[in-house]
Amino acid sequence: MKRLVRPSMEWKKEHQDYVAEWGSSRMVPSSYNLDGHASYQDYLKALAIREEGNNPWLPSSNYFLVNEENRILAMVDIRHELNEFLLNVGGHIGYSVRPSERRKGYASLILAEALKKCGELNIERVLATCDEDNIGSAKTILNNGGVEDKSFTEEDGNVKRRFWIENK
Ligand SMILES: CC(C)(COP(=O)(O)OP(=O)(O)OC[C@H]1O[C@@H](n2cnc3c(N)ncnc32)[C@H](O)[C@@H]1OP(=O)(O)O)[C@@H](O)C(=O)NCCC(=O)NCCS
């Protein structure tokens, strides 16, 4: 069964393989970036501090979506609260799917699973955002009941589409 698991030493190699497959573009969500950590243990320590909430990071929860063969298919980062940046740009939930596993429904699945976690955290209205040109992400959010709100234009001109999901 596909399931969410918390990052831990057990997932070191899988996480590194995912990052290698990702290539040189900026890691999404950024909390899964392994750059600048001397070891995986150091990364996990830094992640734990970040998850607790460590200015500018608000408390958050990280999960991998893994399959029956213990392969990481996707990653999600759930922010428990919104600040101005998250309200306009980042939203409650950030996710990515492993490049070789795209177009198989896993983004829709990890967002659905993340919404259950949001329920456990009593987040009743979940904000999910995506870049204007990210059709796959917009469809993922719409597949999970997203209702579109006003877009936000960042300083560099990038337009974020913003969707609310009622999570009751
Ligand atoms: C965007 C992303 C998460 C989509 O993941 P995915 O697993 O391929 O998505 P799904 O298979 O669940 O597809 C969801 C829907 O989007 C469509 N879709 C996915 N990628 C698409 C693309 N590149 N172009 C057009 N439609 C696309 C699917 O066909 C599906 O449509 P349907 O529901 O009508 O059948 C993935 O491409 C990714 O990780 N991109 C880089 C990181 C990123 O953009 N994260 C989101 C930040 S907001």
Side-chain angles (χ1 to χ4, degrees):
M1 214 179 96
K2 295 176 186 65
R3 62 200 194 279
L4 293 186
V5 297
R6 302 261 307 123
S8 67
M9 279 312 282
E10 189 188 339
W11 300 102
K12 174 181 167 183
K13 176 151 190 327
E14 267 300 303
H15 189 162
Q16 288 171 337
D17 287 354
Y18 190 113
V19 169
E21 215 183 277
W22 191 272
S24 57
S25 57
R26 193 180 63 86
M27 188 68 199
V28 177
S30 62
S31 53
Y32 291 100
N33 191 349
L34 298 178
D35 288 348
H37 301 286
S39 67
Y40 199 67
Q41 208 143 26
D42 283 357
Y43 162 75
L44 289 174
K45 275 189 208 153
L47 181 66
I49 292 168
R50 180 169 164 159
E51 285 190 305
E52 281 295 311
N54 184 33
N55 194 23
W57 309 111
L58 289 169
S60 58
S61 303
N62 285 57
Y63 296 95
F64 299 130
L65 178 73
V66 302
N67 71 5
E68 298 74 3
E69 284 84 40
N70 289 332
R71 177 174 166 83
I72 298 178
L73 304 172
M75 300 175 163
V76 68
D77 175 337
I78 303 168
R79 300 106 196 188
H80 302 183
E81 300 160 39
L82 298 176
N83 57 19
E84 195 184 346
F85 170 76
L86 292 174
L87 180 63
N88 290 327
V89 178
H92 281 107
I93 301 184
Y95 48 82
S96 71
V97 172
R98 191 172 189 140
S100 57
E101 299 288 350
R102 289 184 186 166
R103 310 295 293 257
K104 299 179 185 175
Y106 295 142
S108 304
L109 177 61
I110 199 168
L111 180 54
E113 291 298 318
L115 289 171
K116 292 183 198 163
K117 298 288 181 192
C118 287
E120 291 169 16
L121 292 162
N122 296 316
I123 307 171
E124 290 182 354
R125 288 183 82 220
V126 177
L127 182 68
T129 67
C130 67
D131 286 343
E132 196 176 32
D133 60 359
N134 196 338
I135 295 163
S137 189
K139 280 193 173 181
T140 296
I141 299 166
L142 291 169
N143 284 346
N144 279 281
V147 176
E148 191 153 12
D149 196 348
K150 274 191 221 126
S151 294
F152 179 83
T153 304
E154 295 180 83
E155 264 178 28
D156 63 1
N158 187 47
V159 176
K160 283 283 172 187
R161 293 178 71 185
R162 300 167 61 258
F163 303 82
W164 292 98
I165 303 171
E166 292 292 334
N167 196 29
K168 283 189 185 144

